[in-house]
């Protein structure tokens, strides 16, 4: 029996949705390279591209996702005050899990719309401000910023749109695999996405960008960068925003997000660039046998902060983009009709009594 802890060498699904080339540093989503998509597509268009393989998507996907934001808001706004004491990500996951489960296009659209809508409302609620109703006529990125009461300049809308597309799908990562496992039991899309949210939350996956800002805060000034980094590595701690299971070169999403910062005000850019430079130099010495490069989370942290999202909301913003990918993967897995059920190798005690 072959045991592969971490399933690194296991190919567990066929997919039409996205391909990650870890040696070339290329991400293909629905047949397009990431840089092509962020150049001229909206988040809704790319979500529609993914869903269209497995669902009858409406012709006007922007308006359909807008109407889904309004449905999600109506269904969940009375619940949100009861979740006020929970960490924001957990409150978002809990509210999302109350949506009606199913495998139809309305369930799919509600899920694509839900994290961005809920996250915005929870940001308002946590700062004691009145909730702002969704405006179904707006694009998804613009309405997320409006509902959260953040800057809605053209640069901010474009920056969030680029972010949502950049994280929309990424091969068989831990949360997408989780979504597919749940979908394979025929549980429904809401169950798949709720489970995937749990997998996304950890710092080895979507929970890293908050800690990236903590790191930049701790470094303080570019002069301190190398000493701080060397100290962390010597203590056996990992640098957040670096390394990846698949990429052995720079994550292409890092470049897309760095470019999206053009035109946005960020006090962090100079420090972030210095820390990145020093981190890459230190990691090359620390782990010469393993190429550890900048991953998506590093510039996610800088971009989302520049857009005005509070640090504890970053993983929820990640989910606002990734949910479209999870839903498409769940539909793709369900279409195979095959239960995912691997085996384990028992290492526990054996019964002492003879049978
Ligand atoms: N800083 C220092 N050392 C590292 C780092 C890092 N960021 N990443 C990997 N290593 C070391 C690791 O300690 C291990 O060393 P050893 O063999 O001596 O134990 C070696 O490199 C190989 O690491 P691994 O744990 O086998 O690699 P993995 O493929 O399981 O992990 C990772 C990938 C992303 C979990 C890891 O690189 C990491 O923890 N990075 C920091 C957290 C982070 O940035 N997370 C966001 C991931 S990108 C978002 C996404 O696409 O989900």
């Amino acid at each position: 029996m072959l045991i592969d802890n971490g399933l690194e060498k296991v190919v567990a699904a066929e997919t039409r949705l996205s391909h990650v080339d870890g040696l070339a540093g290329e991400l293909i989503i629905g047949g397009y390279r990431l840089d092509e998509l962020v150049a001229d597509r909206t988040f809704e268009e790319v979500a529609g591209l993914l869903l269209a393989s497995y669902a009858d998507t409406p012709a006007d996907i922007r308006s359909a996702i807008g109407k889904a934001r309004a449905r999600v808001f109506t269904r969940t706004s009375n619940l949100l005050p009861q979740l006020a004491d929970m960490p924001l990500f957990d409150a978002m996951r809990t509210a999302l899990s109350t949506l009606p489960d199913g495998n139809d296009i309305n369930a799919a659209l509600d899920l694509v719309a839900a994290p961005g809508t809920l996250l915005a409302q929870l940001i308002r609620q946590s700062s004691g401000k009145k909730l702002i109703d969704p405006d179904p006529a707006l694009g998804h990125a613009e309405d997320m910023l409006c509902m959260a009461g953040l800057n809605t300049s053209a640069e901010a809308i474009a920056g969030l749109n680029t972010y949502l597309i950049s994280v929309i799908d990424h091969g068989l990562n831990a949360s997408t695999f989780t979504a597919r496992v749940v979908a394979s039991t025929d549980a429904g899309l809401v169950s798949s996405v709720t489970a995937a949210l749990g997998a996304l939350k950890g710092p080895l996956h979507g929970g890293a960008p908050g800690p990236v800002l903590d790191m930049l805060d701790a470094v303080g000034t570019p002069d301190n960068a190398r000493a701080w980094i060397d100290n962390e590595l010597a203590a056996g701690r990992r640098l957040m925003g670096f390394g990846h299971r698949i990429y052995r070169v720079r994550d292409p999403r890092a470049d897309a997000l760095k470019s999206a910062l053009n035109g946005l005000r960020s006090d962090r850019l100079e420090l972030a660039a210095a820390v990145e430079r020093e981190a890459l130099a230190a990691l090359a010495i620390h782990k010469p046998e393993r190429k550890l490069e900048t991953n998506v989370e590093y510039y996610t942290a800088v971009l989302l902060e520049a857009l005005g999202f509070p640090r504890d909301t970053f993983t929820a913003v990640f989910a606002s983009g990734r949910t479209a990918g999870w839903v498409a993967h769940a539909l793709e897995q369900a279409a195979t009709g095959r239960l995912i059920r691997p085996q384990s190798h028992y290492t526990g005690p054996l019964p002492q009594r003879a049978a």
Side-chain angles (χ1 to χ4, degrees):
M1 183 182 287
L2 175 73
I3 300 176
D4 184 355
N5 284 324
L7 304 184
E8 201 162 349
K9 298 186 182 68
V10 175
V11 178
E14 286 183 302
T15 184
R16 299 173 51 81
L17 300 169
S18 64
H19 173 62
V20 184
D21 186 333
L23 295 178
E26 192 165 84
L27 170 58
I28 295 168
I29 300 171
Y32 298 87
R33 278 200 326 272
L34 175 64
D35 56 331
E36 296 176 83
L37 291 174
V38 298
D40 59 7
R41 301 291 184 105
T42 64
F43 165 71
E44 296 93 310
E45 286 167 347
V46 183
L49 181 70
L50 292 177
L51 294 179
S53 294
Y54 297 100
D56 286 331
T57 45
D60 186 350
I61 186 80
R62 172 184 155 120
S63 146
I65 292 176
K67 287 179 188 144
R69 285 194 301 278
R71 277 199 301 273
V72 169
F73 181 69
T74 306
R75 284 201 184 110
T76 57
S77 52
N78 288 339
L79 171 67
L80 297 183
Q82 298 170 50
L83 310 178
D85 293 337
M86 293 171 86
L88 185 137
F89 186 88
D90 297 346
M92 191 266 285
R93 187 193 58 225
T94 304
L96 180 144
S97 73
T98 66
L99 296 174
D101 218 337
N103 281 314
D104 55 288
I105 185 66
N106 278 337
L109 293 169
D110 285 0
L111 284 165
V112 172
T117 306
L118 294 167
L119 151 75
Q121 307 308 340
L122 289 163
I123 289 174
R124 300 287 297 173
Q125 177 171 282
S126 67
S127 50
K129 297 192 177 125
K130 197 170 164 309
L131 304 192
I132 299 173
D133 286 13
D135 180 349
L138 295 181
H140 194 64
E142 180 171 6
D143 205 20
M144 273 180 69
L145 294 169
C146 278
M147 288 185 286
L150 301 177
N151 170 13
T152 52
S153 67
E155 292 78 12
I157 295 167
L160 182 56
N161 188 62
T162 293
Y163 176 73
L164 295 174
I165 293 173
S166 297
V167 298
I168 198 165
D169 200 38
H170 201 244
L172 203 56
N173 57 82
S175 56
T176 301
F177 182 55
T178 305
R180 290 189 76 122
V181 170
V182 177
S184 83
T185 72
D186 212 10
L189 294 174
V190 174
S191 300
S192 292
V193 168
T194 305
L197 284 166
L200 182 73
K201 179 178 158 180
L204 301 192
H205 191 7
V212 168
L213 282 194
D214 297 342
M215 171 173 76
L216 295 180
D217 280 347
V219 171
T221 63
D223 296 351
N224 287 339
R226 190 53 182 264
W228 190 91
I229 287 164
D230 284 343
N231 191 43
E232 287 296 289
L233 293 177
R237 287 189 284 271
R238 294 180 178 209
L239 302 180
M240 293 293 124
F242 298 90
H244 199 273
R245 175 60 67 86
I246 306 290
Y247 291 117
R248 292 295 170 270
V249 296
R250 193 177 166 82
D251 184 333
R253 300 170 297 176
D255 288 328
L257 301 187
K258 196 173 178 192
S259 304
L261 276 154
N262 290 336
L264 288 170
R265 216 184 101 77
S266 167
D267 300 332
R268 297 270 192 187
L269 265 179
E270 193 194 337
L271 176 63
V275 170
E276 183 184 18
R277 212 169 34 244
E278 295 300 335
L280 292 174
L283 286 168
I285 295 168
H286 175 69
K287 282 263 157 257
E289 71 288 2
R290 167 92 178 201
K291 285 280 281 169
L292 295 169
E293 296 281 340
T294 313
N295 69 43
V296 63
E297 305 292 35
Y298 194 73
Y299 283 102
T300 289
V302 185
L303 176 62
L304 296 188
E305 184 185 53
L307 291 173
F309 286 101
R311 192 174 302 205
D312 66 344
T313 70
F314 289 176
T315 309
V317 190
F318 190 161
S320 307
R322 181 57 60 85
T323 303
W326 290 333
V327 170
H329 274 272
L331 292 170
E332 187 175 61
Q333 181 63 41
T336 70
R338 187 76 179 146
L339 174 72
I340 298 178
R341 204 303 186 188
Q343 298 180 49
S344 51
H345 173 58
Y346 181 64
T347 59
L350 293 170
Q352 296 302 310
R353 274 189 295 152

